[in-house]
Amino acid sequence: MRDLKTSLYLTIHGSKKSVEQIADECGITANYLYRSCLEGESGCRFPLDLLLPLMQATGDYQVLDHINRRTGRVTASAPRVRALKKKDANTVNEIQRNFNEAFSQFLKFWSTGDISMKRELVNTLHKHQCDVEAMKRAVADFEQGDLF
């Protein structure tokens, strides 16, 4: 397993953007960004509050993946989701059908081990994840009317 400095180095130097562009987007100097990848006295610490701007600037989340591996955690990306129409039975039925399809495909994949189903199953599970995120958003945004 690689260390945090290596993951940071690969994130910064593996980007299609130059170190100067990344530093500008993060609001720091290129020199500081170079030094943050170095070990020893010439190196410096990389502050946590710069991690999000770095990941957004590079589109590379391997530093977060490293932290997850070290802590035994998992981070899942939240896909862009559609807004649920309020009180629309067709939408609810569609979500239920999508779940049933995903679960059916998963059980078939699990029992047969047919690797050719893998891509389709991943796509179906992604669709289900989008449905779950849409439901979570609908619940979070729900406003109860006046009680009187």
Side-chain angles (χ1 to χ4, degrees), residues 4-52:
L4 187 58
K5 287 281 188 179
T6 303
S7 295
L8 190 60
Y9 178 89
L10 293 173
T11 297
I12 294 167
H13 294 285
S15 176
K16 293 180 180 178
K17 296 179 181 178
S18 69
V19 174
E20 290 75 18
Q21 287 174 311
I22 297 169
D24 186 50
E25 290 182 37
C26 291
I28 57 176
T29 66
N31 183 43
Y32 187 84
L33 203 50
Y34 279 117
R35 289 182 47 228
S36 65
C37 299
L38 299 175
E39 294 286 344
E41 290 182 27
S42 58
C44 66
R45 292 182 156 247
F46 190 79
L48 185 59
D49 58 342
L50 292 177
L51 187 56
L52 285 176

Side-chain angles (χ1 to χ4, degrees), residues 46-135:
F46 190 79
L48 185 59
D49 58 342
L50 292 177
L51 187 56
L52 285 176
L54 174 68
M55 291 186 301
Q56 290 168 341
T58 61
D60 188 336
Y61 295 87
Q62 64 181 305
V63 174
L64 181 60
D65 294 339
H66 173 80
I67 293 169
N68 283 333
R69 282 191 302 276
R70 292 288 307 265
T71 60
R73 309 286 296 181
V74 175
T75 303
S77 61
R80 293 195 178 269
V81 296
R82 63 191 164 109
L84 290 179
K85 298 175 187 170
K86 292 192 183 240
K87 298 182 181 178
D88 182 8
N90 291 330
T91 303
V92 174
N93 287 335
E94 179 186 345
I95 289 172
Q96 187 173 10
R97 275 192 306 275
N98 291 344
F99 171 75
N100 289 337
E101 180 183 347
F103 198 72
S104 174
Q105 283 183 8
F106 177 76
L107 288 175
K108 186 175 178 184
F109 175 78
W110 193 261
S111 65
T112 64
D114 184 1
I115 200 74
S116 66
M117 297 175 58
K118 189 175 181 179
R119 177 170 283 171
E120 183 181 355
L121 177 58
V122 168
N123 290 337
T124 303
L125 291 172
H126 177 74
K127 184 193 291 186
H128 175 63
Q129 183 182 8
C130 291
D131 288 342
V132 170
E133 289 299 322
M135 290 186 296

